[in-house]
Amino acid sequence: MKRALPLLSFGLAACSGVQHALDPASEESAFIGGLSWLLYGGATAIFLLVMAIAAYAVFGPESRKRLAHRKLIVGGGILFPVVTLTALMTYAFAGAPNLLLRGEPALHVEVTGEQYWWRVRYLDENGWAQFETANEIVVPANRTVAFHLRSADVIHSFWVPNLHGKLDMIPGHSKTMQVRPTRTGVYRGQCAEYCGTQHAKMAFTVEVVNEKDFERWHAARKATARIPDSPLLQRGRDVFLSAGCGSCHTVRGVNESRALGPDLTHVGSRRTLGAGAIPNSLGALAGWIADSQALKPGNRMPAFRNLQPGDLQAVAAYLASLE
Ligand code: CUA
């Protein structure tokens, strides 16, 4: 029993978490979770029943061992599966509309899978981008959110287990996933379709917050970048423009780039760098700029090993200041 206890607590602890399909934080995942438990429960009951019958056939009294009569075969082999599977299918079909689009969403967010990060655009009611960010999505609780899913290169798959099932992001297509989060918290998502060398390091977060916090966050993200207020930060901004960072990355209010890489207007406030690859900090920013290929080999950003230490320090400080 002593040995069983840690196992049991591990089993129970494994049923909650920030990346868990059986710890629902939305109406959609609550339905998926319920259906899963029904399937696990039913499968366990049927497995135990079959094992009991098998044990009876093997160990039961000699006279009663013959179970192979017509009634059992027709009942257990045909009738029982037809009735159970039809009931299950009806239940699943009846609940399926819970997972589809219903009603007008309160918020539209476009998420584009890229090798290997997530481009996130918040859209207005006409479908125009209000602002762009990357890898960290914030949505209000108890509002219906539509995620418009696209891909820029290969097939990726958008998956936040606490909020919904998986949906592939296919080049040339746009698919919509509707989610109504019911619980605040930070939930982890992960690309669920092999998309190249850094598929495993293609993570993101969806943070569910209350309405007021969302309005505050949205207004802050819409704003242009903070203006550098010290000689070090001013030097950092100049390095950002002269070293070539600005040809792929946009810092709104400073430059317009080809937007090949993530928008860095508020990069200082992100939790991680490289789509969940490393925790964000001043040192991590400097390390990423100097040699992102060592931290996430195969990502599309070249290493900037040629930067002078003073310049590297300044540009990292500048980016860290962009909250
Ligand atoms: Cu993107 Cu796997």
Side-chain angles (χ1 to χ4, degrees):
M1 191 60 199
K2 259 188 186 164
R3 256 190 221 167
L5 270 178
L7 265 181
L8 185 72
S9 59
F10 175 76
L12 290 175
C15 283
S16 63
V18 295
Q19 188 174 346
H20 204 297
L22 296 178
D23 188 14
S26 74
E27 288 180 3
E28 292 74 14
S29 59
F31 172 73
I32 296 172
L35 190 60
S36 306
W37 283 117
L38 183 75
L39 286 172
Y40 300 149
T44 308
I46 293 169
F47 175 76
L48 292 177
L49 181 70
V50 171
M51 285 302 114
I53 294 173
Y56 182 76
V58 176
F59 303 112
E62 202 64 39
S63 56
R64 300 249 190 113
K65 257 188 179 177
R66 295 214 156 266
L67 290 173
H69 45 78
R70 184 180 289 263
K71 266 187 197 160
L72 189 72
I73 291 169
V74 173
I78 300 171
L79 226 57
F80 182 72
V82 167
V83 170
T84 358
L85 292 179
T86 308
L88 203 58
M89 191 172 69
T90 312
Y91 176 75
F93 280 176
N98 288 320
L99 304 178
L100 302 176
L101 312 183
R102 54 211 151 91
E104 185 51 35
L107 177 68
H108 292 269
V109 183
E110 183 191 82
V111 186
T112 308
E114 311 251 355
Q115 281 174 318
Y116 303 96
W117 59 284
W118 311 83
R119 187 188 297 276
V120 179
R121 286 197 183 104
Y122 281 72
L123 309 178
D124 64 13
E125 57 277 11
N126 300 315
W128 294 99
Q130 297 170 304
F131 63 87
E132 185 173 313
T133 179
N135 306 325
E136 295 180 15
I137 304 169
V138 175
V139 296
N142 303 312
R143 291 276 179 280
T144 304
V145 183
F147 290 110
H148 303 283
L149 307 176
R150 320 165 70 98
S151 171
D153 34 48
V154 298
I155 300 176
H156 304 271
S157 186
F158 183 85
W159 189 33
V160 194
N162 296 71
L163 297 181
H164 211 304
K166 300 168 187 174
L167 201 56
D168 278 3
M169 306 165 116
I170 297 169
H173 285 264
S174 176
K175 294 188 189 181
T176 303
M177 174 188 278
Q178 201 158 297
V179 179
R180 197 175 167 86
T182 49
R183 186 153 54 89
T184 57
V186 181
Y187 304 104
R188 191 176 187 276
Q190 167 67 43
C191 181
E193 175 77 31
Y194 182 72
C195 53
T197 45
Q198 288 299 344
H199 155 71
K201 281 190 187 160
M202 192 168 164
F204 63 105
T205 54
V206 177
E207 185 174 359
V208 180
V209 296
N210 65 44
E211 189 81 27
K212 257 198 181 141
D213 287 345
F214 176 74
E215 294 303 338
R216 208 174 303 135
W217 179 88
H218 192 271
R221 282 301 172 287
K222 229 163 122 175
T224 52
R226 194 187 134 180
I227 294 163
D229 54 4
S230 75
L232 177 73
L233 301 183
Q234 279 158 6
R235 178 175 169 190
R237 183 190 53 192
D238 295 344
V239 174
F240 173 82
L241 293 170
S242 63
C245 317
S247 58
C248 293
H249 295 286
T250 298
V251 172
R252 274 176 280 128
V254 174
N255 75 321
E256 278 291 332
S257 75
R258 288 180 293 154
L260 295 176
D263 184 298
L264 300 181
T265 310
H266 300 287
V267 68
S269 61
R270 285 186 203 141
R271 288 188 183 84
T272 68
L273 297 176
I278 49 169
N280 191 6
S281 68
L282 179 60
L285 273 163
W288 181 270
I289 297 162
D291 201 351
S292 73
Q293 291 302 322
L295 297 163
K296 190 168 173 177
N299 88 79
R300 295 292 159 95
M301 177 164 153
F304 282 78
R305 297 191 192 100
N306 54 341
L307 278 179
Q308 297 303 314
D311 285 348
L312 178 62
Q313 217 171 13
V315 75
Y318 172 61
L319 293 175
S321 78
L322 300 179
E323 292 196 335

Short mmCIF file of all heavy atoms in Angstrom, two decimals, residues 165-190:
data_model
loop_
_atom_site.label_atom_id
_atom_site.label_comp_id
_atom_site.label_asym_id
_atom_site.label_seq_id
_atom_site.Cartn_x
_atom_site.Cartn_y
_atom_site.Cartn_z
N GLY A 165 -9.41 20.96 -28.74
CA GLY A 165 -8.64 19.93 -29.42
C GLY A 165 -7.65 20.55 -30.39
O GLY A 165 -7.44 21.77 -30.39
N LYS A 166 -7.02 19.70 -31.21
CA LYS A 166 -6.02 20.21 -32.16
C LYS A 166 -6.70 20.66 -33.45
O LYS A 166 -7.72 20.10 -33.83
CB LYS A 166 -5.06 19.09 -32.56
CG LYS A 166 -4.30 18.50 -31.42
CD LYS A 166 -3.61 17.22 -31.86
CE LYS A 166 -2.98 16.53 -30.68
NZ LYS A 166 -2.42 15.23 -31.00
N LEU A 167 -6.10 21.64 -34.13
CA LEU A 167 -6.56 22.00 -35.47
C LEU A 167 -5.32 22.30 -36.33
O LEU A 167 -4.51 23.15 -35.95
CB LEU A 167 -7.51 23.20 -35.42
CG LEU A 167 -8.43 23.37 -36.62
CD1 LEU A 167 -9.28 22.13 -36.88
CD2 LEU A 167 -9.36 24.56 -36.44
N ASP A 168 -5.20 21.59 -37.43
CA ASP A 168 -4.04 21.79 -38.30
C ASP A 168 -4.08 23.16 -38.96
O ASP A 168 -5.14 23.66 -39.30
CB ASP A 168 -4.00 20.70 -39.38
CG ASP A 168 -3.38 19.42 -38.85
OD1 ASP A 168 -3.06 19.38 -37.65
OD2 ASP A 168 -3.23 18.47 -39.63
N MET A 169 -2.88 23.73 -39.15
CA MET A 169 -2.74 25.00 -39.86
C MET A 169 -2.13 24.66 -41.20
O MET A 169 -0.98 24.21 -41.26
CB MET A 169 -1.82 25.92 -39.07
CG MET A 169 -2.27 26.11 -37.64
SD MET A 169 -0.96 26.83 -36.65
CE MET A 169 -1.70 28.39 -36.21
N ILE A 170 -2.91 24.86 -42.27
CA ILE A 170 -2.50 24.38 -43.58
C ILE A 170 -2.23 25.58 -44.49
O ILE A 170 -3.06 26.49 -44.55
CB ILE A 170 -3.58 23.46 -44.16
CG1 ILE A 170 -3.71 22.23 -43.25
CG2 ILE A 170 -3.26 23.06 -45.59
CD1 ILE A 170 -4.89 21.36 -43.54
N PRO A 171 -1.06 25.59 -45.18
CA PRO A 171 -0.75 26.71 -46.07
C PRO A 171 -1.88 26.92 -47.08
O PRO A 171 -2.38 25.95 -47.65
CB PRO A 171 0.53 26.27 -46.77
CG PRO A 171 1.15 25.27 -45.84
CD PRO A 171 0.01 24.58 -45.15
N GLY A 172 -2.28 28.16 -47.27
CA GLY A 172 -3.31 28.47 -48.26
C GLY A 172 -4.73 28.33 -47.74
O GLY A 172 -5.68 28.63 -48.46
N HIS A 173 -4.89 27.87 -46.50
CA HIS A 173 -6.23 27.74 -45.92
C HIS A 173 -6.31 28.57 -44.65
O HIS A 173 -5.33 28.78 -43.98
CB HIS A 173 -6.52 26.29 -45.53
CG HIS A 173 -6.80 25.41 -46.69
ND1 HIS A 173 -8.07 25.13 -47.12
CD2 HIS A 173 -5.96 24.75 -47.51
CE1 HIS A 173 -7.99 24.33 -48.17
NE2 HIS A 173 -6.72 24.09 -48.42
N SER A 174 -7.52 28.99 -44.32
CA SER A 174 -7.73 29.59 -43.01
C SER A 174 -8.84 28.81 -42.33
O SER A 174 -9.89 28.58 -42.92
CB SER A 174 -8.12 31.05 -43.17
OG SER A 174 -8.40 31.60 -41.90
N LYS A 175 -8.57 28.35 -41.11
CA LYS A 175 -9.60 27.62 -40.37
C LYS A 175 -9.88 28.40 -39.10
O LYS A 175 -9.01 29.10 -38.59
CB LYS A 175 -9.08 26.25 -39.98
CG LYS A 175 -8.82 25.33 -41.13
CD LYS A 175 -8.53 23.99 -40.56
CE LYS A 175 -8.05 23.02 -41.60
NZ LYS A 175 -7.80 21.72 -40.97
N THR A 176 -11.09 28.24 -38.60
CA THR A 176 -11.44 28.98 -37.39
C THR A 176 -11.77 28.03 -36.26
O THR A 176 -12.50 27.07 -36.43
CB THR A 176 -12.64 29.91 -37.67
OG1 THR A 176 -12.29 30.77 -38.74
CG2 THR A 176 -12.97 30.75 -36.45
N MET A 177 -11.17 28.31 -35.11
CA MET A 177 -11.46 27.55 -33.88
C MET A 177 -12.10 28.52 -32.90
O MET A 177 -11.57 29.59 -32.65
CB MET A 177 -10.16 27.00 -33.30
CG MET A 177 -10.33 26.34 -31.95
SD MET A 177 -8.74 25.91 -31.21
CE MET A 177 -8.36 24.38 -32.03
N GLN A 178 -13.27 28.13 -32.39
CA GLN A 178 -13.96 29.01 -31.45
C GLN A 178 -13.81 28.46 -30.03
O GLN A 178 -14.03 27.28 -29.80
CB GLN A 178 -15.42 29.11 -31.85
CG GLN A 178 -16.09 30.33 -31.31
CD GLN A 178 -17.33 30.66 -32.11
OE1 GLN A 178 -17.25 30.96 -33.29
NE2 GLN A 178 -18.47 30.60 -31.47
N VAL A 179 -13.41 29.32 -29.12
CA VAL A 179 -13.18 28.90 -27.74
C VAL A 179 -13.86 29.88 -26.79
O VAL A 179 -13.79 31.09 -26.98
CB VAL A 179 -11.67 28.87 -27.41
CG1 VAL A 179 -11.44 28.46 -25.96
CG2 VAL A 179 -10.93 27.93 -28.33
N ARG A 180 -14.51 29.35 -25.78
CA ARG A 180 -15.06 30.20 -24.73
C ARG A 180 -14.42 29.81 -23.41
O ARG A 180 -14.87 28.88 -22.71
CB ARG A 180 -16.58 30.05 -24.67
CG ARG A 180 -17.26 31.18 -23.92
CD ARG A 180 -18.77 31.05 -24.00
NE ARG A 180 -19.42 31.94 -23.06
CZ ARG A 180 -19.71 33.20 -23.32
NH1 ARG A 180 -19.44 33.73 -24.49
NH2 ARG A 180 -20.30 33.94 -22.40
N PRO A 181 -13.32 30.50 -23.04
CA PRO A 181 -12.61 30.15 -21.80
C PRO A 181 -13.48 30.45 -20.58
O PRO A 181 -14.21 31.43 -20.56
CB PRO A 181 -11.39 31.07 -21.80
CG PRO A 181 -11.32 31.66 -23.16
CD PRO A 181 -12.70 31.66 -23.70
N THR A 182 -13.39 29.58 -19.58
CA THR A 182 -14.23 29.74 -18.40
C THR A 182 -13.40 29.97 -17.13
O THR A 182 -13.95 30.27 -16.09
CB THR A 182 -15.08 28.48 -18.18
OG1 THR A 182 -14.21 27.34 -18.27
CG2 THR A 182 -16.16 28.35 -19.24
N ARG A 183 -12.09 29.80 -17.21
CA ARG A 183 -11.26 29.88 -16.02
C ARG A 183 -10.00 30.67 -16.35
O ARG A 183 -9.34 30.39 -17.35
CB ARG A 183 -10.90 28.45 -15.58
CG ARG A 183 -10.17 28.33 -14.28
CD ARG A 183 -10.45 26.98 -13.62
NE ARG A 183 -10.17 25.84 -14.50
CZ ARG A 183 -8.99 25.24 -14.58
NH1 ARG A 183 -7.97 25.66 -13.88
NH2 ARG A 183 -8.83 24.21 -15.37
N THR A 184 -9.65 31.63 -15.47
CA THR A 184 -8.44 32.42 -15.72
C THR A 184 -7.21 31.56 -15.42
O THR A 184 -7.27 30.61 -14.64
CB THR A 184 -8.40 33.69 -14.85
OG1 THR A 184 -8.51 33.30 -13.50
CG2 THR A 184 -9.53 34.65 -15.20
N GLY A 185 -6.09 31.91 -16.05
CA GLY A 185 -4.85 31.16 -15.85
C GLY A 185 -4.01 31.22 -17.12
O GLY A 185 -4.44 31.75 -18.14
N VAL A 186 -2.80 30.69 -17.01
CA VAL A 186 -1.90 30.63 -18.16
C VAL A 186 -1.86 29.19 -18.65
O VAL A 186 -1.52 28.29 -17.88
CB VAL A 186 -0.47 31.10 -17.79
CG1 VAL A 186 0.44 31.05 -19.02
CG2 VAL A 186 -0.51 32.50 -17.21
N TYR A 187 -2.22 28.97 -19.90
CA TYR A 187 -2.26 27.61 -20.44
C TYR A 187 -1.22 27.48 -21.55
O TYR A 187 -1.04 28.40 -22.34
CB TYR A 187 -3.67 27.29 -20.94
CG TYR A 187 -4.67 27.48 -19.83
CD1 TYR A 187 -5.50 28.60 -19.80
CD2 TYR A 187 -4.70 26.60 -18.76
CE1 TYR A 187 -6.36 28.82 -18.74
CE2 TYR A 187 -5.57 26.81 -17.69
CZ TYR A 187 -6.39 27.92 -17.69
OH TYR A 187 -7.23 28.13 -16.63
N ARG A 188 -0.57 26.33 -21.58
CA ARG A 188 0.51 26.14 -22.54
C ARG A 188 -0.01 25.43 -23.78
O ARG A 188 -0.76 24.46 -23.67
CB ARG A 188 1.63 25.32 -21.89
CG ARG A 188 2.91 25.28 -22.70
CD ARG A 188 3.98 24.52 -21.92
NE ARG A 188 5.28 24.58 -22.56
CZ ARG A 188 5.67 23.77 -23.54
NH1 ARG A 188 4.85 22.83 -23.99
NH2 ARG A 188 6.88 23.87 -24.07
N GLY A 189 0.43 25.93 -24.92
CA GLY A 189 0.08 25.28 -26.18
C GLY A 189 1.35 24.77 -26.82
O GLY A 189 2.46 25.18 -26.47
N GLN A 190 1.19 23.87 -27.75
CA GLN A 190 2.35 23.26 -28.41
C GLN A 190 1.95 22.91 -29.84
O GLN A 190 0.83 22.47 -30.08
CB GLN A 190 2.75 22.00 -27.61
CG GLN A 190 3.74 21.08 -28.29
CD GLN A 190 5.11 21.73 -28.43
OE1 GLN A 190 5.62 22.37 -27.52
NE2 GLN A 190 5.72 21.56 -29.60
#
